[in-house]
Each structure stands twice: as structure tokens, then as C-alpha cells.
């Protein structure tokens, strides 16, 4: 059985790729729990409880849930920034036991170096990896054009709008071609119009390059706009409440996707699950 996947050609074209085998996963959480100690109390607090789910190769997976449910913690576990208390996280079949170098991480802040230009910020990870200078030039040129910053390559971060800074941050993360991309509410601070533009830009980039993406968001509409599947987390301690495939065909238009019947139906189902978690106090049962 095959499914349509957007290939590396221009937006709107498609190629056909085989479905990955069931064991063909990029990331796996296997009964992962995490305890931490609060500054206010010596009693350990359970942030995550026996979280289990897989993310397939080239899948765009969104994670939604109420504040404090451990969404960002899941990304830190994959990156190797935080070890689990129980259970195991694997990346491409290998247990995570320290920092994972082949992962790109886009945080809520752009984290651009203010003394470097757009060109220099995007070039930095290639310099760290000692990429040959000619290849650096090719890749930086490619990504500057892809994110629409061709006229701003010599500009510094303070000269850019919030959306431009985010474009630069995404290009800097993807220029060294990491197979897995972690994104922690990257568009949360943007205004509604800029956010839609950035969502459309990300859809275009994913259509062309098809990375495995774990995308944390509070916004159900954003999750449905971008993802192949949505993981709904319970309130703390975070558990997987549901894993919902997004049955909206690609390619997608971020500006008009909410007008479709499929979007409205899936949003209603997800909202009912999400609302049940944010309307109840106390720990999840």
C-alpha cells in the first residue's frame, strides 16, 4: 500500500513513496516517566507518566496539551537534554544516552547571535561542522532564498521583524540537514497574520525536505494545519490521552485550511478532548 507524499519539487507537486514498515520509526517513547524536585518542596513531582508512542520516519507529529503537561519535556528527552526517570527514549533504534547531535531544535525564542548577520547566523553550524567553504556558500544561499531573506542577508537580528528572525532561526537549524526537527511553540509569540505566513512557509519547507518533525503547540488549529498526526496529552502528570491521525490531504494552504469540512470535524473532536483536560483541576487520573 502506498500513500501520497509531497516530494522535493515545487510546492503543489507530489511523488509517491511507500509507507514505512510498522517498525520503521524515527523516535520511540517506551513507558517514559519523569520525576523532578520542586524548589518549593522536597517531595518529587511526576511530570510524565508512562508515555508511549512512536513517530515514523518523515512524519510531522504535533503534540498538544494543557500547560505543565510535559510537552516541552518530551522534546528535551529526545534531544538528550533530560534523562527519563523510567522507561526509554530511542532515536533511530538507539537509546538516547546524552546529547543527540543529528537533531535540529527550534525553540520559542529565535536565539540568533546579535553580532552576526543573517548570512553569518545561518552559516555558523556549517562552520562548526567544518563544512568546506564552497559548500557553505551553496547551502547558505539555498536556505536564505528558501526562507525569503535574500534582501536581508547582511542585516543583523535587531533589524529584522519577529517573523524574519524566526525564518532565519529555522534556516540556521535546517542548513546542516538534521534528519529530525524538534520545534517548541516556535510561532507562539507572533501575531496572527505573521503566524499564518510562517505556518505556510513551514508547510512548503516540509513538502520539499520531509524531515521527521515533533512540533509542540497549544494551538489546535496550528496542529491540524501542519501535522500528519496529533498526540493529545493529559494534564500533569502528562500521559498520552489520544493519538489522532489528521485526515486532511496535502499540499495544504495555511490561509484557507480552516474552511474545509475535514478541518472543522477534527478540530471539534480534538477540542472536546483538550477541553476536558483544561477544565478539571488536580492531577490527571
Amino acid at each position: 500500500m502506498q500513500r501520497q507524499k509531497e516530494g522535493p519539487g515545487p510546492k503543489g507537486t507530489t511523488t509517491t513513496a511507500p509507507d514505512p514498515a510498522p517498525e520503521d520509526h524515527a523516535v520511540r517513547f517506551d513507558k517514559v516517566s519523569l520525576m523532578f524536585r520542586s524548589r518549593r518542596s522536597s517531595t518529587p513531582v511526576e511530570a510524565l507518566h508512562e508515555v508511549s508512542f512512536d513517530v515514523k520516519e518523515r512524519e510531522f507529529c504535533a503534540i498538544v496539551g494543557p500547560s505543565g503537561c510535559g510537552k516541552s519535556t518530551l522534546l528535551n528527552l529526545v534531544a538528550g537534554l533530560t534523562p527519563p526517570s523510567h522507561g526509554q527514549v530511542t532515536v533511530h533504534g538507539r537509546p538516547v544516552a546524552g546529547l543527540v547531535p543529528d537533531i535540529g531544535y527550534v525553540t520559542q525564542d529565535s536565539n540568533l547571535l546579535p553580532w552576526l548577520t543573517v548570512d553569518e547566523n545561518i552559516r555558523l553550524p556549517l562552520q562548526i561542522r567544518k563544512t568546506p567553504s564552497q559548500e557553505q556558500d551553496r547551502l547558505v544561499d539555498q536556505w536564505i532564498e528558501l526562507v525569503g531573506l535574500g534582501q536581508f542577508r547582511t542585516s543583523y537580528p535587531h533589524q529584522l521583524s519577529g517573523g524574519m528572525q524566526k525564518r532565519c532561526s529555522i534556516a540556521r537549524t535546517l542548513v546542516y540537514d538534521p534528519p529530525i526537527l524538534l520545534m517548541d511553540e516556535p510561532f507562539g509569540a507572533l501575531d496572527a497574520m505573521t503566524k499564518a505566513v510562517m505556518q505556510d512557509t513551514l508547510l512548503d519547507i516540509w513538502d520539499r525536505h520531509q524531515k521527521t518533525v515533533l512540533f509542540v503547540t497549544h494551538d489546535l488549529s496550528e496542529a491540524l494545519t501542519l501535522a500528519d498526526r496529533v498526540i493529545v496529552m493529559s494534564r500533569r502528570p502528562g500521559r498520552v490521552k489520544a493519538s489522532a491521525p489528521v485526515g486532511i490531504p496535502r499540499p495544504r494552504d495555511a490561509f484557507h485550511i480552516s474552511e474545509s469540512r475535514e478541518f472543522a470535524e477534527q478540530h471539534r473532536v480534538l477540542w472536546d478532548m483538550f477541553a476536558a483536560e483544561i477544565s478539571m483541576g488536580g492531577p490527571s487520573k
Side-chain angles (χ1 to χ4, degrees):
M1 181 177 179
Q2 292 183 323
R3 62 178 174 184
Q4 289 298 107
K5 301 281 285 184
E6 272 53 65
K11 186 176 181 180
T13 63
T14 62
T15 59
T16 302
D19 276 321
E23 69 276 14
D24 186 15
H25 63 274
V27 176
R28 169 168 290 170
F29 296 91
D30 185 10
K31 296 183 178 179
V32 171
S33 298
L34 180 67
M35 306 289 292
F36 67 91
R37 292 190 178 276
S38 170
R39 294 179 180 178
R40 300 179 180 179
S41 172
S42 60
T43 303
V45 175
E46 189 174 25
L48 296 170
H49 181 76
E50 295 194 349
V51 171
S52 295
F53 67 92
D54 294 349
V55 183
K56 294 178 182 179
E57 296 282 0
R58 303 183 304 279
E59 183 178 26
F60 198 125
C61 181
I63 304 172
V64 302
S67 296
C69 73
K71 300 185 298 297
S72 298
T73 301
L74 290 173
L75 300 190
N76 291 337
L77 287 163
V78 175
L81 297 171
T82 303
S85 302
H86 303 285
Q88 188 176 72
V89 182
T90 58
V91 172
H92 293 132
R94 295 184 294 273
V96 174
L99 293 178
V100 182
D102 294 330
I103 281 180
Y105 203 152
V106 180
T107 60
Q108 297 178 36
D109 297 323
S110 296
N111 293 321
L112 301 176
L113 298 181
W115 58 88
L116 298 183
T117 64
V118 166
D119 182 301
E120 292 165 341
N121 265 288
I122 296 173
R123 189 179 299 269
L124 182 61
L126 299 175
Q127 293 174 330
I128 293 173
R129 287 165 174 77
K130 302 186 184 304
T131 304
S133 57
Q134 188 172 1
E135 181 68 358
Q136 288 184 31
D137 292 341
R138 183 187 72 80
L139 290 170
V140 171
D141 288 347
Q142 172 188 326
W143 278 98
I144 282 179
E145 292 304 317
L146 188 58
V147 298
L149 292 176
Q151 297 180 343
F152 301 93
R153 67 184 306 148
T154 60
S155 299
Y156 291 90
H158 75 272
Q159 297 172 313
L160 305 176
S161 68
M164 289 178 183
Q165 290 182 20
K166 190 58 64 176
R167 289 170 186 262
C168 185
S169 177
I170 291 173
R172 184 181 62 181
T173 303
L174 290 175
V175 71
Y176 60 91
D177 198 28
I180 296 174
L181 181 61
L182 309 178
M183 306 189 78
D184 188 2
E185 297 191 75
F187 310 142
L190 302 177
D191 64 86
M193 191 62 207
T194 304
K195 185 175 184 177
V197 171
M198 288 307 305
Q199 290 170 353
D200 203 59
T201 299
L202 182 57
L203 284 171
D204 190 21
I205 291 172
W206 189 87
D207 284 349
R208 293 169 184 265
H209 296 272
Q210 291 192 1
K211 302 292 182 184
T212 302
V213 181
L214 276 78
F215 189 100
V216 164
T217 179
H218 281 95
D219 187 339
L220 296 182
S221 295
E222 181 170 65
L224 289 172
T225 297
L226 298 173
D228 297 313
R229 184 162 55 103
V230 179
I231 301 295
V232 181
M233 299 290 293
S234 71
R235 62 195 181 283
R236 195 177 69 198
R239 311 166 192 240
V240 175
K241 183 168 185 175
S243 175
V246 177
I248 302 175
R250 296 185 186 271
R252 299 175 187 168
D253 177 354
F255 302 104
H256 300 288
I257 190 171
S258 62
E259 300 168 6
S260 71
R261 177 178 55 81
E262 296 93 341
F263 183 96
E265 291 175 350
Q266 293 199 28
H267 190 281
R268 185 179 304 110
V269 171
L270 286 176
W271 172 249
D272 287 345
M273 287 188 283
F274 190 81
E277 294 301 321
I278 63 177
S279 64
M280 298 173 65
S284 177
K285 301 297 184 184

